[in-house]
Amino acid sequence: MQRAIDKLEPFQRAISKAHLASAGVSIDSLENPDKPLIAIANSWNEVCPGHEPLRQLAAEVKKGILEAGGEPIEFNTIGMCDGVAQGHAGMRYCLPHREIIADSCEAMIVGEGCFDGVVYMGSCDKIVPAMLMAAARINLPAALVTAGPCYDEIKPSESKALRARFLRGEATEREVIEGTLKYYTGPGICPFLGTANTMGCLTEGLGMMLPNGALWPSSTSQRRFSARQTGAAVVELVRRGIKPSDIMTQGAIDNTVKLLASIGGSLNALIHLPALAHELGLECTWTQVAETTSHTPVVCNVVPNGDISCVNLYKAGGVPAVLKTIEGDLDGSVMTVTGKTLAQNLTGDIHIDRSVIRTQDDPASVANGIQVLYGNLAPEGALVKTSAVPADQHVWSGPAMVFNSEEEAFAAYNANAIKPGTGVVVRYEGPKGGPGMKELHRVTEIMKGIPNSAVITDGRFSGASGGLSVGYLCPEALDGAPIALIQDGDVIHVDLNKNLIEVGVSDDELARRKQDWKPVIHENGGHLLARYAKQVGSAKTGAVIQ
């Protein structure tokens, strides 16, 4: 593989290499084609707890690169924490910053033109998908490293109970902070199966991460060893000429959807996987996902699907154990960053704790962990994480209470205006309408305290959201879709047994309302979101920039 700078005319080549050498890059590495230059694209920062460990892990990656005969060169990009951005306008930036990260990696790696391979380092919700998108777009030999989940000292249900006490006025802010630190015990990915851990698991399933790389806990030596081994692995990928396009094939995407269904992962994966497929020139549609999830059993109940954490899943064998459990449904011929096929990675003795990771034919392993719903309220689809919906809400009806923003819904809740049995509709929170497609986790959290209620939105949810939460409605409200035409008191009907979501309003009445409809335009707060709103596509196709 020839670097772009090596194709320069001799004088400019020497000057470009001199700049790199002045930053500390070995002259021998610059002159020796057998010593690959490996970029480390690191989203380390001190804001996001999932990213704080990445500085130390980058040092381990560098050791692995050097030991394998390569030369590491590190640069940084951004990485937001969704937990900090929750509940305010800053959440509008979280999904758009996925594109910023992918673009920044492209600018540095392609723009500098001096790299042979890349180790991408990121941990959380939009950052891991962004790194995968960059790897697909740039297509230099690459692998990913995350910080891994933090250990939890208390059960997920205890953390939820503490938050519920606060919402009832029975706990102070200080008590919530200190109590939550028993669940998030230190730097690392939040311990539940939210989007962060889901995307880590899916990256491993894709073959873009070393086995066990998703769930080694953040505080362990094994996490550091895995980072070190990843650095060495990328040097070997360069030497063998194995690129992301050789790994992230259609077969690998299909395998990853089956893994997503088997763990009951985050709905946000149904934005990120289509976006990744778009970068690769492949397909991952909601229709394909629905077909897979309709017959693929959920084999482990990690919160929000149950009351165990990702650390429990790690102890039970992690992603390799889940892949081994569903091996018969997978394409084992796909390549991985180990330089071996998936089938080869799954040979040998893989520890599996069947009290955590069930067999597919276990009576408790039920399909439809994720469903795509259709009806006159969502002509192009809506998503629900069925594995986190109580059985008594699989068929539900109730009157709508309509809000044109997350803030309006919070105000109604704080005024005790939302009654039991209500369908809370939060609209104009889609990719264009938000703009930025806010994650409405706090709305789903407060609604858990209102019996037999539901949330319906063109926004999206955290992977930790539970209850009857139907989101990602397409088309979104800003496009004049049916969700924009609902009025207070309209009866909404959801039937998960029939993949159905509808509003009890005739087509003629919806058409009449459409004639009087005027869109709600939110203040976007700056140039970035205004530009994003003009360029972003539908949620169902990955909310990619057009």
Side-chain angles (χ1 to χ4, degrees):
M1 182 182 301
Q2 191 176 27
R3 305 164 192 149
I5 62 169
D6 290 329
K7 299 176 184 178
L8 296 172
E9 55 86 17
F11 177 74
Q12 185 56 56
R13 183 171 64 235
I15 297 301
S16 294
K17 289 182 178 180
H19 278 82
L20 290 168
S22 70
V25 179
S26 162
I27 298 176
D28 290 341
S29 297
L30 292 168
E31 294 293 284
N32 185 350
D34 293 328
K35 291 179 71 68
L37 298 182
I38 308 299
I40 300 173
N42 193 353
S43 54
W44 170 84
N45 63 63
E46 294 181 331
V47 176
C48 183
H51 289 224
E52 195 276 342
L54 294 180
R55 171 178 277 181
Q56 180 189 39
L57 291 177
E60 299 297 329
V61 170
K62 291 175 184 177
K63 291 178 186 176
I65 292 169
L66 291 166
E67 289 166 352
E71 177 83 3
I73 309 176
E74 183 181 3
F75 68 86
N76 284 87
T77 185
I78 60 174
M80 289 182 66
C81 177
D82 283 23
V84 177
Q86 285 285 352
H88 61 85
M91 176 52 71
R92 294 179 180 173
Y93 288 88
C94 288
L95 185 58
H97 105 295
R98 183 190 70 180
E99 319 309 309
I100 296 171
I101 295 167
D103 288 348
S104 68
C105 289
E106 177 188 355
M108 281 295 292
I109 295 165
V110 179
E112 298 293 355
C114 59
F115 302 112
D116 299 298
V118 189
V119 177
Y120 294 94
M121 303 189 68
S123 290
C124 296
D125 295 26
K126 317 306 171 297
I127 299 90
V128 171
M131 296 296 191
L132 286 171
M133 291 165 65
R137 183 186 306 174
I138 298 164
N139 205 30
L140 286 176
L144 271 77
V145 170
T146 73
C150 66
Y151 271 99
D152 50 317
E153 292 180 356
I154 60 175
K155 293 180 74 65
S157 57
E158 296 177 82
S159 176
K160 291 179 182 178
L162 175 62
R163 296 180 185 205
R165 284 181 53 222
F166 178 82
L167 291 171
R168 295 193 301 267
E170 298 170 2
T172 66
E173 181 176 291
R174 181 74 178 220
E175 288 172 332
V176 171
I177 294 170
E178 293 179 347
T180 299
L181 290 178
K182 295 180 181 179
Y183 189 45
Y184 308 148
T185 55
I189 300 171
C190 303
F192 50 82
L193 190 60
T195 310
N197 279 311
T198 293
M199 293 309 302
C201 291
L202 298 190
T203 301
E204 186 176 334
L206 267 172
M208 287 296 293
M209 182 184 287
L210 292 182
N212 287 303
L215 295 180
W216 289 122
S218 60
S219 58
T220 61
S221 296
Q222 288 291 357
R223 171 56 57 187
R224 297 198 295 274
F225 297 154
S226 180
R228 191 168 182 163
Q229 291 160 2
T230 301
V234 171
V235 174
E236 182 62 20
L237 290 172
V238 170
R239 289 177 175 149
R240 292 183 58 181
I242 298 174
K243 301 178 180 179
S245 58
D246 301 316
I247 295 171
M248 293 190 285
T249 60
Q250 188 65 56
I253 293 285
D254 295 343
N255 285 348
T256 303
V257 172
K258 292 170 186 174
L259 175 60
L260 171 68
S262 297
I263 62 176
S266 169
L267 292 177
N268 282 324
L270 273 73
I271 291 181
H272 301 316
L273 289 178
L276 175 60
H278 174 78
E279 295 283 358
L280 293 161
L282 303 174
E283 274 202 340
C284 181
T285 67
W286 285 6
T287 300
Q288 291 168 322
V289 172
E291 167 59 25
T292 298
T293 59
S294 67
H295 63 262
T296 302
V298 178
V299 298
C300 52
N301 293 106
V302 180
V303 64
N305 306 323
D307 198 25
I308 61 173
S309 74
C310 286
V311 175
N312 297 107
L313 182 57
Y314 144 71
K315 291 177 180 178
V319 174
V322 178
L323 293 173
K324 189 68 177 179
T325 297
I326 65 173
E327 186 176 14
D329 294 335
L330 303 177
D331 178 354
S333 69
V334 296
M335 181 55 63
T336 73
V337 293
T338 65
K340 300 177 181 178
T341 65
L342 175 62
Q344 289 171 324
N345 287 346
L346 294 177
T347 58
D349 184 22
I350 294 178
H351 163 67
I352 306 176
D353 181 349
R354 289 296 180 204
S355 69
V356 174
I357 303 171
R358 302 180 297 268
T359 58
Q360 290 179 298
D361 59 0
D362 188 297
S365 298
V366 180
N368 267 344
I370 293 172
Q371 286 183 254
V372 183
L373 309 183
Y374 296 94
N376 68 347
L377 190 48
E380 296 179 5
L383 302 178
V384 61
K385 189 169 182 176
T386 309
S387 54
V389 178
D392 61 2
Q393 285 193 300
H394 282 207
V395 179
W396 180 92
S397 294
M401 191 170 185
V402 182
F403 304 99
N404 290 328
S405 68
E406 177 190 39
E407 290 79 8
E408 288 185 10
F410 270 120
Y413 173 81
N414 290 330
N416 296 314
I418 303 175
K419 306 303 180 186
T422 300
V424 171
V425 176
V426 185
R427 61 193 181 193
Y428 295 101
E429 293 290 7
K432 288 181 282 187
M437 202 177 192
K438 275 186 181 179
E439 185 175 273
L440 304 184
H441 176 51
R442 294 294 174 254
V443 174
T444 63
E445 194 161 41
I446 62 176
M447 292 302 294
K448 289 176 185 176
I450 300 177
N452 195 36
S453 61
V455 178
I456 299 96
T457 181
D458 54 4
R460 57 189 181 85
F461 299 125
S462 160
S465 296
L468 184 53
S469 304
V470 182
Y472 310 77
L473 268 72
C474 292
E476 62 174 287
L478 194 67
D479 291 330
I483 189 174
L485 310 176
I486 300 176
Q487 298 177 359
D488 287 345
D490 289 346
V491 175
I492 296 172
H493 180 63
V494 177
D495 190 337
L496 302 187
N497 301 316
K498 297 180 180 178
N499 301 314
L500 178 69
I501 180 167
E502 62 184 8
V503 59
V505 177
S506 69
D507 291 344
D508 288 344
E509 173 60 14
L510 288 174
R512 187 195 66 76
R513 294 180 185 180
K514 182 70 175 287
Q515 293 177 345
D516 299 326
W517 169 75
K518 293 182 180 179
V520 174
I521 306 297
H522 291 156
E523 291 292 329
N524 57 51
H527 295 297
L528 190 160
L529 292 178
R531 185 170 67 248
Y532 183 82
K534 292 177 182 178
Q535 298 177 327
V536 69
S538 168
K540 70 176 298 183
T541 54
V544 297
I545 297 298
Q546 304 295 316

